[in-house]
Amino acid sequence: MCGITGWANLDPRTPPPDGADELLRSMCDRMIHRGPDSEGYVVGDGMGFGMRRLAIIDLVTGEQPVYNEDESIAVILNGEIYNYRELRADLETRGHTFRSASDTEILPHLYEEYGCDMVSHLNGMFAFALWDDRRRRLFIARDRFGEKPLYWGVFDQTLLFASEPKVLLAHPSVRPNLNLDALRQYLSFDYVPAPLSIYEGISKLPAAHMLTLEDGKVTIERYWKLSYKTREPVPSVNEAAEQLRELLADSVRMRLVSDVPLGVLLSGGIDSSLVTALAVRAASETVKTFSISFAESSFDESQYARRVAKFLNTDHHEERFSASLAANLVADIGAWMDEPMSDPSLVPTYLLSRFTRKHVTVALGGDGGDEVFAGYPMYFGHRMARAYDRLPGFFKRGVIEPLVNHLPVKTKNLSFDYRARRFLAGSHYDEVARHHIWFGSFAPPEQDSLLTDDAKQASDGDVYRDARRMLAECDSNDVIERMQSLDAQLYLAADILTKVDRASMAVSLEVRAPYLDPRVAEFAASLPSHYKLHGYTSQYILKRAARGLVPAFVGRRGKKGFGVPFAQWLKAELRPLARDLLSPERLRRGGLFNPEYVARLQDEHERGVANHRKLLWTLLTFELWRESFIETPRRIETSVVAKQ
């Protein structure tokens, strides 16, 4: 695991600028947390590569950049290639020779054999950059689901790239200006989907995409897409469960390869419990498991993790946190999260990563299980929404909506009143908008109230356009699979995996996701929809595959999520911070948000007449980010002129 950065000039004949080595080092210094063990650089005509390394495989000879035999191809990699041993054996039969035992070194040789199609041979989590000196070509690629990040932009006739945007901000050509279109997306989704980033001029390379720069031209192509066409003949449930168990077992086995201590993040839910069970079966020594707990019972899952750990006989480690301690970390988020994200589970994910890193350097997790096997309550919610749409309008407006609106406001995790109000908020929209209103924060009418007139005029209000395009490209007509496809491209890539990457790499911990092995995901997608959401049972086939491997109660548990009591924090521990960062004076100076509307949200939330936790949290995390990274905010009036 590493952090990578570098550049390639649009004119590849350009000699290195004065101080190129020092500039690369200063950029790499901003991501030492991603690679505290060593660094590597190469600078030549038209290009420069730099990296920081967290040593996981081949601790002695695995330094980067790596090269082919004649050093005409250089590569830097962030991530892991899990099938590198099989690929290396095949490449050696084709005459390639290797200097190290690292997974990175297969990449230049694979490129020699297959060119840019090399990515179709990789099973891993990765973002890598390759320089082909003969063709004067830069080639960049990102893994299928987006486990590893990659940001890029063209500034002053130079293409810059990096694992994190704050690394690009260290380059003198890059200015931290706010992208107002990205702000609109953030307010809707809780994150900024690719290809946008929150910074003007900086883009994300989307998952499963590759970028080439050659002859001054930048080309971006998609190299993989998950298909939901049902496989024929359809296996029986028992056959599918057995095949899935075998695929997952091999995926876990591949992800246990490490030259440093390794463990599993265990919540006690089906996803992490099955990964733990398969790791116990494959490991040659006792598996270490890690969880955290909170004093607030509706947010605490530690008892389930302990029961699973006892059943599987793992070496279990648990740390308990108080709400006040966790809340105190919120103010620090802006310093290390260089793009705003309002997923509140970022806080416990960071706490768990920090605790786990005291014992191991690599951890397996259950990320991706919900998207691949339809684990979110929202999937069943779409079936309910179709039934709700068929009810008479007078009954919905005259009976159901008044009843829901009069429910007492609760702050417990996923309380019924919160879920019911959220369901109704999305019921007036199409499937795409409905889905993301359930998941996200500010619905279109709420954005109209929140944003100033100048901010609205200077930005694109059609925030769901790309999501609708993605939905149209899905090869399934089933509403559940269509939403799974959307979530894999949006929520999983830009929220879940970004959150895990940033929180874990902030403490130099590598997290691996067995459910995102392409063989597992492709097999799950090929099964009929009712194998995943079976009546009221989510992740049905996964639970069948887990039978006998995990305690029976795990399969019966409802979805809980990795939550924190931030609705209550906003009334207590975080109230001073929120009142400061969202004060009318600050908001007026910022010129983005309507101070009166935000003040009303705060007042209603603190008095308990409404639960505005998601809206306020989204605004608070944005302001924490803006305070840390937007040094001289661009005047909105300039944007209005530019749009006109």
Side-chain angles (χ1 to χ4, degrees):
M1 188 65 65
C2 306
I4 63 173
T5 188
W7 61 72
N9 296 107
L10 299 191
D11 181 354
R13 299 165 298 181
T14 306
D18 293 338
D21 291 345
E22 291 75 14
L23 177 57
L24 266 179
R25 284 187 169 82
S26 70
M27 294 171 74
C28 286
D29 284 346
R30 291 203 174 189
M31 55 179 181
I32 287 178
H33 53 281
R34 300 190 75 94
D37 295 327
S38 63
E39 60 187 5
Y41 307 94
V42 59
V43 175
D45 288 349
M47 61 82 67
F49 280 3
M51 58 81 60
R52 294 289 318 187
R53 184 184 184 215
L54 176 64
I56 302 294
I57 293 174
D58 188 11
L59 307 184
V60 177
T61 63
E63 299 299 325
Q64 299 184 36
V66 298
Y67 302 89
N68 62 336
E69 290 90 344
D70 64 5
E71 298 194 354
S72 62
I73 300 170
V75 178
I76 48 177
L77 165 72
N78 172 25
E80 304 288 347
I81 308 301
Y82 300 122
N83 62 335
Y84 77 98
R85 289 173 171 171
E86 296 89 337
L87 292 172
R88 175 177 173 138
D90 178 68
L91 289 166
E92 286 176 329
T93 66
R94 297 169 183 265
H96 295 268
T97 59
F98 293 82
R99 301 184 180 95
S100 74
S102 76
D103 57 337
T104 308
E105 198 184 355
I106 68 161
L107 297 177
H109 301 282
L110 205 63
Y111 175 79
E112 286 182 303
E113 285 291 329
Y114 302 106
C116 296
D117 189 51
M118 63 180 286
V119 291
S120 65
H121 297 264
L122 300 176
N123 183 342
M125 57 174 183
F126 56 83
F128 68 80
L130 179 150
W131 177 254
D132 181 342
D133 199 55
R134 289 195 182 95
R135 297 188 60 165
R136 313 299 292 168
R137 169 200 273 177
L138 174 69
F139 175 53
I140 296 174
R142 195 172 172 209
D143 65 69
R144 289 168 174 82
F145 287 99
E147 291 184 71
K148 292 292 102 183
L150 202 290
Y151 294 80
W152 71 280
V154 176
F155 300 89
D156 296 336
Q157 296 298 299
T158 300
L159 189 151
L160 304 172
F161 65 88
S163 297
E164 298 180 7
K166 63 172 166 279
V167 178
L168 298 181
L169 297 179
H171 194 282
S173 297
V174 184
R175 295 288 181 268
N177 292 325
L178 174 65
N179 183 326
L180 290 170
D181 290 339
L183 171 62
R184 295 288 290 255
Q185 302 248 328
Y186 166 75
L187 294 172
S188 297
F189 293 100
D190 296 344
Y191 52 84
V192 180
L196 293 179
S197 88
I198 198 66
Y199 302 93
E200 276 195 342
I202 298 177
S203 300
K204 297 186 188 80
L205 183 65
H209 280 68
M210 53 188 182
L211 177 153
T212 57
L213 170 61
E214 189 171 10
D215 297 327
K217 181 182 178 182
V218 177
T219 303
I220 297 176
E221 297 179 67
R222 185 171 194 156
Y223 66 84
W224 179 83
K225 184 178 180 182
L226 193 59
S227 171
Y228 290 86
K229 290 184 178 179
T230 302
R231 176 182 300 178
E232 299 291 347
V234 177
S236 69
V237 169
N238 288 336
E239 290 170 341
E242 180 60 31
Q243 291 178 56
L244 175 58
R245 188 160 44 239
E246 292 175 359
L247 286 171
L248 276 171
D250 194 54
S251 174
V252 169
R253 177 193 61 78
M254 293 174 72
R255 284 157 181 78
L256 289 174
V257 175
S258 172
D259 294 332
V260 294
L262 180 147
V264 182
L265 307 178
L266 177 61
S267 70
I270 183 65
D271 300 330
S272 63
S273 297
L274 182 52
V275 167
T276 304
L278 295 172
V280 168
R281 285 194 163 197
S284 58
E285 56 188 35
T286 302
V287 170
K288 295 181 174 65
T289 52
F290 303 91
S291 66
I292 60 172
S293 62
F294 286 100
E296 293 76 11
S297 59
S298 70
F299 296 88
D300 185 37
E301 293 188 289
S302 59
Q303 61 169 311
Y304 304 110
R306 287 194 295 271
R307 290 171 65 184
V308 173
K310 183 177 180 180
F311 180 87
L312 297 173
N313 196 30
T314 68
D315 178 13
H316 191 57
H317 302 259
E318 178 186 313
E319 188 165 20
R320 192 167 184 82
F321 292 98
S322 66
S324 58
L325 185 149
N328 288 338
L329 292 173
V330 172
D332 298 329
I333 289 175
W336 55 270
M337 197 68 183
D338 53 1
E339 192 170 28
M341 171 188 291
S342 65
D343 186 333
S345 64
L346 178 65
V347 174
T349 301
Y350 172 78
L351 288 170
L352 177 59
S353 298
R354 189 177 67 177
F355 169 57
T356 302
R357 186 62 176 90
K358 296 176 183 178
H359 304 271
V360 299
T361 309
V362 177
L364 274 61
D367 299 304
D370 287 314
E371 291 80 7
V372 172
F373 297 102
Y376 292 122
M378 280 70 75
Y379 297 138
F380 182 74
H382 282 283
R383 291 183 178 172
M384 293 180 60
R386 289 187 169 183
Y388 185 76
D389 288 343
R390 292 193 293 267
L391 294 176
F394 74 88
F395 184 69
K396 290 188 286 188
R397 293 188 299 271
V399 178
I400 296 179
E401 293 180 11
L403 282 175
V404 169
N405 290 332
H406 282 87
L407 289 172
V409 176
K410 305 291 185 182
T411 58
K412 290 184 178 180
N413 191 26
L414 296 177
S415 62
F416 174 76
D417 68 290
Y418 178 81
R419 287 181 287 134
R421 289 186 174 93
R422 208 72 193 166
F423 176 84
L424 290 184
S427 65
H428 306 294
Y429 295 88
D430 63 33
E431 288 175 346
V432 170
R434 173 186 293 162
H435 188 71
H436 291 102
I437 287 169
W438 288 345
F439 257 125
S441 291
F442 287 88
E446 293 167 331
Q447 280 207 29
D448 285 342
S449 299
L450 170 69
L451 293 169
T452 63
D453 290 340
D454 285 343
K456 285 184 283 190
Q457 292 175 33
S459 58
D460 183 358
D462 190 359
V463 294
Y464 302 123
R465 180 189 296 111
D466 285 347
R468 291 191 177 98
R469 173 186 53 77
M470 292 176 185
L471 193 71
E473 294 171 352
C474 180
D475 60 2
S476 173
N477 292 321
D478 182 89
V479 65
I480 306 304
E481 292 179 332
R482 288 161 70 81
M483 293 305 117
Q484 284 183 272
S485 176
L486 269 188
D487 286 343
Q489 297 175 78
L490 294 171
Y491 183 63
L492 177 64
D495 185 308
I496 299 297
L497 297 178
T498 300
K499 170 194 69 180
V500 172
D501 174 79
R502 296 307 178 82
S504 61
M505 293 311 297
V507 295
S508 305
L509 175 74
E510 176 178 300
V511 177
R512 300 173 176 178
Y515 291 109
L516 298 182
D517 187 300
R519 300 168 301 166
V520 173
E522 288 169 352
F523 177 73
S526 75
L527 297 174
S529 176
H530 65 272
Y531 277 37
K532 288 159 276 190
L533 181 59
H534 187 77
Y536 296 99
T537 304
S538 61
Q539 298 181 294
Y540 177 70
I541 196 65
L542 186 67
K543 292 172 181 176
R544 287 293 294 262
R547 283 184 180 179
L549 298 178
V550 303
F553 78 85
V554 173
R556 297 192 297 266
R557 286 189 60 205
K559 181 70 180 173
K560 195 176 184 69
F562 203 6
V564 289
F566 65 102
Q568 188 59 39
W569 290 357
L570 290 165
K571 298 180 181 181
E573 290 91 347
L574 290 180
R575 186 178 184 277
L577 178 66
R579 283 291 181 180
D580 176 36
L581 290 178
L582 301 178
S583 69
E585 296 77 15
R586 289 179 67 106
L587 296 183
R588 287 191 185 94
R589 288 198 302 271
L592 298 172
F593 305 134
N594 181 341
E596 291 75 20
Y597 176 70
V598 176
R600 179 170 67 79
L601 293 178
Q602 288 183 295
D603 179 66
E604 290 178 352
H605 184 83
E606 291 173 5
R607 289 191 294 114
V609 300
N611 186 350
H612 294 311
R613 61 184 178 90
K614 280 189 70 69
L615 306 184
L616 291 172
W617 186 263
T618 296
L619 295 175
L620 178 60
T621 52
F622 174 80
E623 291 298 333
L624 284 167
W625 164 81
R626 181 159 68 163
E627 186 177 55
S628 296
F629 287 97
I630 297 295
E631 301 164 355
T632 53
R634 182 191 61 171
R635 290 182 60 81
I636 293 177
E637 300 91 290
T638 304
S639 300
V640 175
V641 171
K643 291 279 181 180
Q644 294 172 344

